[in-house]
Amino acid sequence: MAAQVEQAQAATKNKADGRARITASVYSSHVPAIGAAIDHGKTEEPYWQPLFKGYDFSKQWMKDNTPDVIFLVYNDHATSFDLGVIPTFAIGTAAEFEPADEGYGPRPVPVVKGHPELASHIAQSVIQQDFDLTIVNDLKVDHGLTVPMNLMFGSPAAWPCKVIPFHVNVVQYPVPSGARCFALGQAIRRAIESYDQPLKVQIWGTGGMSHQLQGPRAGLINAEWDNRFLDRLIADPKDLSTMPHIDYVREAGSEGIELVMWLIARGAMSDVAGSGKAPKVAHRFFHVPASNTAVGHLILENQV
Ligand code: DHB
Ligand code: FE
């Protein structure tokens, strides 16, 4: 095993030494129409009200459990990364990330403040653990990041913590496998927990659940499969990580592949590293429909 990995693991074992730790993982869909509903004051309309109600618990939980930093795994939708350059995995190392213009002007949400020092440390550690990340100093964030932020925090004047955006290519084939994403989550955990500041860090996995936006199967939603995915993500993520792409596409539609990002966040939990019990399911929510997709949401707290 690489010396870097051993060093990072040794650091993780020493819990009382003022290092960063992952407190929880959060999972949420990122439907752009949710952003539009918020921006146009429609959250209380009958179509949207049940969806937003599912996040009431989460907003209170975020107030009670505000981290110092969120490591936010999401996908850019050909917004900052057009077809000119398509990184598989990219880490945002800048001090600030502005909301992107996705065709209707930038969303009226606060600028995301990054954590360049922690992001650089994670890049160093994860690249030395043999994951070839792209380093991004200039990134505008689209609905993939801003919609989950709204769902969890509401619409404050400023986001209450720092965010490290981490982009995964799930838009243009070939996309990374579930197994690769799960292993990457484990490497990210080692990186975060070897940072020598006592920061509380959450890791979020976003995107999904089942949806297909084009072709003859446009509008596909598979609620039974989605709920089975949630069960397996909680109880046996290692087994879930072996599921091949074609199963996502067949069962959850072409855009259902966004769900591989959830395996990065789950891979970063302490039970996967063998240093903690199974996480506590603080909240689970599922709702259909929201625009063309099923919305899934989980909050898992680390039990160390
Ligand atoms: C929709 C869902 C997405 O995940 C996305 O990125 C774009 C559109 C939709 O349901 O319309
Ligand atoms: Fe999407």
Side-chain angles (χ1 to χ4, degrees):
M1 197 187 295
Q4 278 280 335
V5 177
E6 278 170 11
Q7 259 176 26
Q9 280 179 336
T12 302
K13 278 195 197 101
N14 190 354
K15 296 228 163 22
D17 64 357
R19 289 176 191 266
R21 68 196 163 87
I22 295 177
T23 52
S25 53
V26 171
Y27 309 80
S28 176
S29 306
H30 67 209
V31 196
I34 295 175
I38 294 167
D39 299 345
H40 297 109
K42 295 186 173 174
T43 58
E44 293 302 321
E45 288 187 1
Y47 180 87
W48 290 111
Q49 202 266 348
L51 180 131
F52 286 101
K53 202 166 164 24
Y55 285 83
D56 282 351
F57 174 92
S58 317
K59 291 194 187 79
Q60 186 57 49
W61 182 88
M62 281 305 303
K63 282 200 179 109
D64 299 339
N65 297 278
T66 313
D68 298 298
V69 185
I70 298 167
F71 188 89
L72 203 157
V73 180
Y74 82 111
N75 70 290
D76 178 87
H77 297 76
T79 307
S80 252
F81 304 121
D82 61 17
L83 294 183
V85 180
I86 307 167
T88 301
F89 298 119
I91 185 163
T93 40
E96 287 193 355
F97 307 92
E98 284 177 16
D101 182 348
E102 297 178 67
Y104 302 92
R107 291 197 57 220
V109 291
V111 168
V112 169
K113 303 281 185 188
H115 197 308
E117 221 186 76
L118 176 59
S120 303
H121 167 84
I122 294 170
Q124 156 80 16
S125 171
V126 169
I127 291 171
Q128 292 300 317
Q129 293 178 69
D130 300 333
F131 288 88
D132 305 319
L133 307 185
T134 299
I135 291 158
V136 193
N137 290 312
D138 182 7
L139 176 72
K140 293 205 169 29
V141 286
D142 74 8
H143 70 271
L145 186 141
T146 60
V147 166
M149 289 290 285
N150 281 133
L151 286 169
M152 297 303 291
F153 289 115
S155 301
W159 301 123
C161 62
K162 304 206 161 158
V163 176
I164 298 175
F166 189 88
H167 156 85
V168 180
N169 169 38
V170 285
V171 167
Q172 173 67 48
Y173 271 79
V175 302
S177 69
R180 185 72 174 154
C181 288
F182 192 58
L184 173 59
Q186 295 169 60
I188 290 168
R189 177 176 189 278
R190 289 190 283 263
I192 290 172
E193 301 216 333
S194 64
Y195 186 64
D196 64 357
Q197 298 289 325
L199 300 178
K200 280 184 279 170
V201 181
Q202 287 176 8
I203 182 162
W204 292 14
T206 63
M209 299 202 83
S210 58
H211 61 305
Q212 169 141 352
L213 300 178
Q214 9 72 46
R217 296 199 308 161
L220 177 146
I221 287 177
N222 186 345
E224 202 183 316
W225 187 92
D226 285 335
N227 276 289
R228 181 88 187 104
F229 184 93
L230 295 175
D231 294 341
R232 294 174 73 193
L233 188 77
I234 294 165
D236 196 355
K238 189 171 192 306
D239 181 54
L240 180 62
S241 75
T242 64
M243 183 163 65
H245 281 131
I246 193 66
D247 288 15
Y248 287 86
V249 177
R250 272 196 194 116
E251 300 290 337
S254 50
E255 276 67 48
I257 194 65
E258 289 180 343
L259 283 168
V260 289
M261 294 186 286
W262 294 31
L263 285 162
I264 297 179
R266 187 64 183 90
M269 295 298 278
S270 52
D271 63 325
V272 175
S275 58
K277 290 183 291 210
K280 177 181 160 198
V281 183
H283 188 49
R284 176 173 174 161
F285 175 65
F286 181 78
H287 177 78
V288 174
S291 183
N292 302 301
T293 145
V295 165
H297 173 39
L298 284 176
I299 299 176
L300 302 184
E301 293 175 358
N302 253 341
Q303 306 292 301
V304 250

